[in-house]
Amino acid sequence: MRRILHIDMDAFFAAVEQKRCPELIGRPVVIGGSGDPTKRGVVATASYEARKFGIHSALPLKTAYSLCPRAVFLPVDYEAYARESQKVKIILRSVTLAMEDVGIDEAFLDISEIGKPSGEISQLIKKAIKDETGLTCSIGIAPNKLLAKIASDMDKPDGLTVIMPEDILSILKPLPVRRLWGIGPKTEKSLKDMGIETVGELASLQMEALVDSFGPSYGNYLYHASRGIDDSPLITDWEPKSISRETTFQKDMASWQFIAKTLADLTKDVVTDMKDSSFKARTVTVKVRFSDFETVTRATTIPHATDREDEIRKAAFASLKRVELKKRVRLIGMRASHLERTDA
Ligand code: TTP
Ligand code: MG
């Protein structure tokens, strides 16, 4: 039997904001749009404190404001969340290469081949993520992806849930059908019209009835999913094409010294990522975005693949030199590509 682990970060965008601004810890925080609740836009996520007021993802910001006017509203800073996400993914890949990267805050791992108990593996992951990012996650472990994803959601935040084979049916039975992966609002509505609201009710339908209503492929999927059966493999096409970092300055910058210092720091981080994930690179690209959002990139290719910080830095600065810094700079980024595995 397989052991599949699903990990999902807790209140991800809000948690990143609370970490970098500790005054926000314990307070209702709503992330969405430009952060101005009088403007158009929807909630990306809300801290658990804000969720007590009924605020959740996809709610209009104006509605969120009327539910909790004293909440702190912040704009989406996708780059900051992507940086934390990348740190988490590096930790997960160091556990096993059998990792499917699902989204910014979630992933599946196949831990079947690891000779340690599931609980122990989960605690190691939780601790590494906490140490590295200061954030918490919830983990679900089950014989397949479908159930592991349900499990990670059962005890949020900072939870750990293992679904044993003998408990599958009793756990699935009362759940609303929407909790099954692959059932969206449209199918939910069709099922409701048929008088089906829970997974248990869905499992009471004959295969023929499902195929009649939903076609052979999806009907077949629903039949098996409602019984907790899912053989789908992890999609572990994870080999990165590049490893990159970027920083948006708090204020647009004109100082070459400051830009250069930032590039040196980014290089250090990228080289650390490369070493952690056992890659060398041949091409180093620098990206500069100016205050008016004009963006230029310059690439430098090194004759041999390397993971030496001095060589990568030299190539990064050769690239930077070829950018005419004629305007204030808003963002600087650097990317190592044409990767080769160190152990290949
Ligand atoms: P989720 O994992 O669905 O939510 P979450 O991490 O904020 O909270 P939970 O503890 O329940 O897992 O989504 C991850 C991030 O994706 C979330 O922090 C913000 C973003 N997101 C949106 O921008 N819009 C959306 O509608 C959803 C659902 C998420
Ligand atoms: Mg999450």
Side-chain angles (χ1 to χ4, degrees):
M1 196 179 64
R2 293 191 296 164
R3 278 192 300 162
I4 306 298
L5 182 152
H6 181 256
I7 172 170
D8 188 293
M9 302 299 293
D10 300 321
F12 185 50
F13 293 5
V16 174
E17 298 292 355
Q18 285 177 318
K19 186 194 67 168
R20 67 174 166 184
C21 185
E23 302 92 90
L24 298 178
I25 294 171
R27 295 179 59 183
V29 177
V30 179
I31 316 296
S34 61
D36 179 347
T38 66
K39 299 247 169 70
R40 284 162 46 126
V42 293
V43 174
T45 196
S47 68
Y48 279 75
E49 295 81 5
R51 292 184 197 190
K52 291 191 192 126
F53 295 87
I55 299 174
H56 56 80
S57 297
L59 198 70
L61 283 173
K62 285 180 186 167
T63 313
Y65 183 77
S66 64
L67 288 170
C68 183
R70 67 179 180 84
V72 177
F73 288 81
L74 294 172
V76 175
D77 181 355
Y78 197 80
E79 283 163 17
Y81 316 141
R83 269 199 299 279
E84 298 306 317
S85 175
Q86 208 179 10
K87 289 186 203 162
V88 172
K89 302 292 162 64
I90 286 172
I91 291 168
L92 298 179
R93 267 183 206 119
S94 73
V95 175
T96 172
L97 294 182
M99 195 271 266
E100 177 174 345
D101 190 344
V102 187
I104 190 156
D105 90 326
E106 55 176 314
F108 290 104
L109 267 60
D110 187 335
I111 55 167
S112 313
E113 306 292 323
I114 302 177
K116 279 188 204 153
S118 304
E120 193 179 317
I121 297 169
S122 305
Q123 295 304 348
L124 282 173
I125 292 174
K126 276 171 173 284
K127 183 170 184 317
I129 290 178
K130 183 86 197 193
D131 291 349
E132 186 69 23
T133 68
L135 303 172
T136 64
C137 63
S138 296
I139 290 179
I141 296 174
N144 59 48
K145 284 162 66 173
L146 177 86
L147 294 168
K149 189 165 166 78
I150 289 172
S152 69
D153 206 36
M154 283 172 57
D155 183 24
K156 266 187 166 289
D158 203 12
L160 167 56
T161 305
V162 182
I163 297 185
M164 304 303 271
E166 57 271 26
D167 299 326
I168 294 174
L169 294 182
S170 60
I171 288 173
L172 285 181
K173 216 171 153 195
L175 294 180
V177 291
R178 266 302 279 281
R179 290 285 296 282
L180 290 181
W181 193 85
I183 297 192
K186 235 178 91 186
T187 307
E188 182 185 35
K189 170 83 175 50
S190 311
L191 287 170
K192 195 161 183 217
D193 293 343
M194 296 161 70
I196 305 292
E197 297 194 17
T198 65
V199 177
E201 288 161 357
L202 181 60
S204 73
L205 294 181
Q206 303 287 331
M207 173 75 96
E208 293 75 43
L210 287 165
V211 169
D212 274 352
S213 303
F214 298 101
S217 151
Y218 192 41
N220 195 53
Y221 172 78
L222 293 176
Y223 180 87
H224 289 104
S226 64
R227 289 160 175 74
I229 301 168
D230 166 34
D231 296 330
S232 63
L234 269 69
I235 300 171
T236 54
D237 177 26
W238 64 276
E239 294 266 314
K241 291 196 171 56
S242 64
I243 295 175
S244 64
R245 286 291 167 95
E246 57 184 48
T247 294
T248 303
F249 297 122
Q250 292 295 325
K251 270 182 12 203
D252 295 345
M253 281 295 161
S255 151
W256 190 86
Q257 302 288 345
F258 193 81
I259 292 164
K261 159 87 170 64
T262 306
L263 182 60
D265 290 344
L266 293 174
T267 302
K268 206 184 190 82
D269 289 346
V270 166
V271 169
T272 304
D273 282 6
M274 286 168 58
K275 290 197 166 132
D276 285 350
S277 50
S278 308
F279 280 107
K280 294 179 179 188
R282 259 192 321 114
T283 302
V284 176
T285 307
V286 167
K287 170 163 92 177
V288 175
R289 179 167 295 148
F290 295 103
S291 48
D292 60 359
F293 279 84
E294 186 200 346
T295 305
V296 295
T297 57
R298 295 287 182 268
T300 300
T301 295
I302 308 164
H304 55 274
T306 180
D307 63 357
R308 273 181 49 184
E309 190 180 337
D310 56 342
E311 289 182 312
I312 303 269
R313 191 174 50 236
K314 201 168 144 211
F317 275 85
S319 301
L320 179 66
K321 258 194 211 132
R322 289 162 43 221
V323 180
E324 195 193 342
L325 295 171
K326 53 194 182 232
K327 290 177 279 196
R328 284 181 177 269
V329 172
R330 175 186 164 79
L331 169 152
I332 179 146
M334 100 97 169
R335 181 172 76 226
S337 61
H338 289 125
L339 301 178
E340 291 173 16
R341 292 199 67 91
T342 323
D343 48 16

